Every structure is written in C-alpha cells, then in structure tokens.
Amino acid sequence: MRSITSSRMRAIDANCEYLGLKGLQLMENAGAAIAREVKERIGSGKVIFIAGRGNNGGDAFVAARHLASDPDVTVYIALVGNATRIRTDDARHNFNILKHCNIEGITEITDASQLKKKGWIDDADIIVDALLGTGISGKLREPESTVIDMINDSDKQVIAVDVPSGFDPDGGDIDKAVIADITLTFHEMKTGLTTSLAREYTSEVKVVNIGVCTDAERYVGSGDLKVLQKRHADSHKGNSGRILIIGGGPYSGAPALAAMAALRTGADIVTVAAPASVAGTIASYSPNIIVRPLSSDVLCEEDVGTIAELITSHDVVVIGMGLGRAERTKTAISKIIPFCKKVVVDADGLYGIELPVPEDTTMIITPHAGEFRSLGGHGADDVQAFSRENGPTVLLKGKEDTISNGERVAINSTGNAGMTVGGTGDVLAGISGALFATSSPMEAACCAAFINGAAGDLAFEDKGYGLLATDVIDRITDVMK
Ligand SMILES: NC(=O)C1=CN([C@@H]2O[C@H](COP(=O)(O)OP(=O)(O)OC[C@H]3O[C@@H](n4cnc5c(N)ncnc54)[C@H](O)[C@@H]3O)[C@@H](O)[C@H]2O)[C@H](O)CC1
Ligand SMILES: [K+]
C-alpha cells in the first residue's frame, strides 16, 4: 500500500498553501471527518476530546464544534496545556470559536491529575485522542505521557486523530502510545501505520480524504524545499556531505560547474577526480575545489583502483559530465558504479552504466530525452515504469522535468528556455549530488530540479537569453534561503 512520511506530508501541506489551499480548509475537512466517525460510533452520548496544542488538537476543536450543535451529543474538551500556548494560528482560530458553541465543558490542564479530578474520561462514551499527530518529536514529555496512560487505562472506545498519540508516523521506535480502536489518518496512509507494530496501537486505520489539491502532491513546490532546508538547518556542519565528482577528459568546464554547484548547494567538501590532461585546468577555475588527477587523458580502467579508494572517503559520487564516450571510459564507468553507495549519473556517464542498478548502490540518473532513449526509455509517461524496472530514481529533464522513484511521480515546472545554454545540466547534477548526501534520492532529485530551475528563472530575470550556467550557480543560495 502507498504510504508517506510525515516530512512528505508537511511538504504537501506547504505546497497547498503555495497553491492557495489554506491549512484551515484542510483542518475543517479533517475535523468534520472526526465528527462523523464519533456520531457513527455513539449516535448519542458523551464525547471527550483530548487535544494537544498543535494542529492535531486543532482537528479536535473543529470536530467539537461540529458535534456541539447535535442535541444528542454532549461535548467535553480537555486541552493539554494552556490555551495561550496553542502553537499554530489554525488551531488557535478553531479554539477561539468554541466559546460560541454549545460545549458542556472545556478545561486546560497542565497536570494529568487535573483531568482525573474532572472525571470526564470515566463519564465519556468515547474518547478522541488529538494530543499528538505527525508533529511529535523526541521522548514523550509530561503531562502528555501520563494522559496517554489515562486514555489506555480507561475501557473506553478511542478514535485517534491522524496517528495514535505517541506513535511515530514514520515507523520509528516508540516508548508509549495511545491504543486506539480506529485511527483516522489524513490524505494518505502514513508509513508508520503500515508496520506490524501499528497493529498493537490501532485495530483499524481509515484514510480520510481532506481535499488536498492534486498539484500539491504532483508538482514539486517550495514546500518540498522547506522540508529539505529544515533538515539541513538541523544538521550541524560537517555532515552536509562530501561529494566526489568524476568528470572531464575531452572537456574541463563541465565537472567544474558541477563542483561549484554542489558547493553552493551546501556540500562541505567537493573533490573532482579528472583525467590528468585537464586536472590542472579544472583546479585553476576555483580554489574551492579539490582536484585529484587521474592517469591519462580520458577516464580509463587504470583509474578504477584510485577512484574506488576515493569513494570510501566521500558520501555521494556524481559521474559523467565531460567524460566523453571512449570505449575504455565506458568500461571504467561500469566498473566504478558497483563501488558507489550513492551515485548521480549524468551526461556521458549514462552511456557506461549497466542496468538494473547494482544491489548496494542507490542511483539517481539525470538524462535529457535523447539520453533517456539511449537507455531504453521512451518519454515522461515511461519514467515511473522505467524506474520501477531498472532501479534508479529518474530525473528526466525537459520543459517540465519528470521525476520518479518507481512509486511516485513528480513534475517540476521551474526553469525557462534560456537554460538550454551549455552547462545547466552539469549544475543540476552537482545540486542533485549535494542534496543526495542528506536526502532520499526522490527528495534530492525533486528539489534539485526545483532549485536549478528556480535559480535559472532568477538568472533569466537579470540576463534574459544571455544567461550562463555560472549565473545559475550564483543564484542557488537565493533560492535556498
Ligand atoms: N495535511 C495534513 O496532514 C493536515 C494535518 N493536520 C493535523 O496536523 C497534525 C500535525 O500538526 P503539528 O502542529 O505539526 O503537530 P502535532 O499537533 O502533531 O504535535 C505538535 C504538538 O505536540 C507537542 N509535542 C511534540 N512532541 C512532543 C513530545 N515528545 N512530548 C510532548 N509533547 C510533544 C508539541 O509541543 C506541539 O504542541 C497532523 O497530525 C494532523 O492531525 C491538519 O489539521 C489538517 C491537515
Ligand atoms: K493523535
């Protein structure tokens, strides 16, 4: 079954905002679905909403409002935390409306004993667990932890909102979580809820459509980037990646462009392994690049040992640009790939790889239409099947880029006709390599396509059709800040 991670969901949420679909609209749909589930299960009786201070709680405030107008349902709300510390505008907005609704009781608790004293849990016919959703982070704190015990110690029916509170939506280890009869999860199944562990915390999971617009999922947007930047911001210096670029031979500029792009994208170290004939030229382009000369005037089998050694001290390999297509170069490429854990294959490199991707290698390929055809691909409508059959995440460049890892297909619409100038493909490969050090191949490929195109759009604003690949590199940081 298809499922998504919490970071993917946050990207979709942000893409919705970017496209004009407000989080409040999604929350209203989420809350309405919870209200319907409560009504279906109890018909008439008492419901207690146990709400956190994030949007998970916000969903509960919406559901409470919907049920408050039902004469057969009595509504109680326990907010875990002070209302003044509700963390999001959407949740606060829906909390503030509750004073105009027929709610039997609302209380703010900062200690679990206050909830016990109220006796609302014992009195309820059903509990809605809206304490923590996909925003959980770190070990459970108090009073949430004890409140979860109270929910589990009651013999009441429990509906969990999005995920059982305390449960890791991405499937990681947990110390404690609500045990629910049903979990209403929004938009898409969460990866963690597909695991066998999930069965211990929820007897049933229902995926609820909350009206997310399809482009928010299909198109790469600034939301995808935000998730990436958050991860980069959280990572400390030194683990933003060491990138090995294997390129050059007939050409010297291509690997240098890829190297500079990788550095601008935030890689810590970039090494270019290039044939001796062009190594000096590449080194002369910038003191920021470490250059390791190879044996001859093109990449050849004699270089495989040196490169295998270099690969061990780098996180990602980017191979192809400027290598040329000599038979001995193609042979060398096919021998190098199995040494790579993470590899981006671009340009001439695509003529030397053998598919399917070797067992322990994760690969991104960045072909244009012609290179994709030479690999046996047809066009944009074939990218997902090609990826599924052959293994690599495919970033098929075009007026719109099509990206797929075999499970999902994304489209990138940033970029412009000025970017047909030579070298922008090298820049894209360098960005992809840098992001791949700290992201999944799909996230890296999607965000690289978005960043490269968006930087190209900024360059087009300044330089029009005179834009150069170096202008694109100079604007990567503007797009990523
Ligand atoms: N498109 C959608 O998926 C929608 C999702 N909705 C709901 O929003 C939540 C995610 O909301 P968020 O504000 O990001 O986080 P949470 O409410 O899940 O939790 C944050 C809340 O919890 C506290 N907290 C975090 N970790 C801990 C911990 N270890 N111990 C104690 N407390 C913790 C934190 O301080 C915050 O107060 C999603 O699940 C959906 O339910 C939207 O409403 C609709 C669209
Ligand atoms: K929950």
Side-chain angles (χ1 to χ4, degrees), residues 9-10 12-13 16 23-28 30-31 34 52-59 80 85-88 90-91 130-145 161-163 184 186-188 190 210 212:
M9 196 65 235
R10 271 190 289 280
I12 291 169
D13 260 352
C16 284
L24 216 48
Q25 294 172 269
L26 299 176
M27 186 176 279
E28 193 66 23
I34 299 165
R53 290 177 291 112
N55 279 339
N56 203 240
D59 298 342
V80 180
R85 292 185 56 229
I86 291 177
R87 280 164 56 118
T88 69
D90 293 351
L131 200 51
L132 301 172
T134 53
I136 184 166
S137 62
K139 272 184 76 54
L140 276 176
R141 300 191 288 271
E142 288 298 350
E144 286 80 2
S145 182
V161 175
D162 209 25
V163 282
L184 300 186
F186 303 123
H187 178 62
E188 281 267 11
K190 302 303 179 297
I210 53 174
V212 166

Side-chain angles (χ1 to χ4, degrees), residues 244-420:
L244 174 62
I245 294 182
I246 304 168
Y251 304 96
S252 62
L257 289 169
M260 289 311 293
L263 286 167
R264 282 285 179 229
T265 306
D268 287 323
I269 301 270
V270 176
T271 306
V272 175
S277 51
V278 289
T281 314
I282 293 169
S284 70
Y285 288 138
S286 166
N288 299 297
I289 309 173
I290 304 161
V291 180
R292 291 291 305 269
L294 296 171
S295 65
S296 161
D297 58 348
V298 287
L299 175 70
C300 53
E301 283 180 84
E302 289 72 12
D303 299 322
V304 175
T306 313
I307 287 176
E309 183 56 34
L310 270 173
I311 288 175
T312 58
S313 56
H314 289 82
D315 303 298
V316 180
V317 174
V318 179
I319 185 168
M321 57 289 299
L323 286 176
R325 294 186 206 167
E327 279 317 308
R328 52 197 170 126
T329 300
K330 290 182 189 175
T331 309
I333 292 168
S334 63
K335 290 190 166 21
I336 288 165
I337 295 294
F339 287 102
C340 303
K341 283 263 163 294
K342 294 181 172 185
V343 61
V344 177
V345 186
D346 180 44
D348 294 336
L350 292 165
Y351 294 92
I353 56 171
E354 286 153 13
L355 293 174
V357 177
E359 196 65 30
D360 300 331
T361 300
T362 313
M363 184 185 285
I364 296 172
I365 58 172
T366 56
H368 55 52
E371 290 158 343
F372 191 46
R373 274 194 300 277
S374 74
L375 286 168
H378 305 300
D381 54 1
D382 176 43
V383 167
Q384 182 173 18
F386 182 94
S387 174
R388 195 180 300 128
E389 274 148 39
N390 296 290
T393 290
V394 181
L395 194 178
L396 174 62
K397 296 179 285 192
K399 187 173 172 307
E400 287 195 328
D401 307 313
T402 306
I403 305 118
S404 181
N405 59 356
E407 280 145 45
R408 181 162 78 85
V409 179
I411 313 283
N412 174 59
S413 57
T414 61
N416 58 76
M419 291 179 70
T420 49

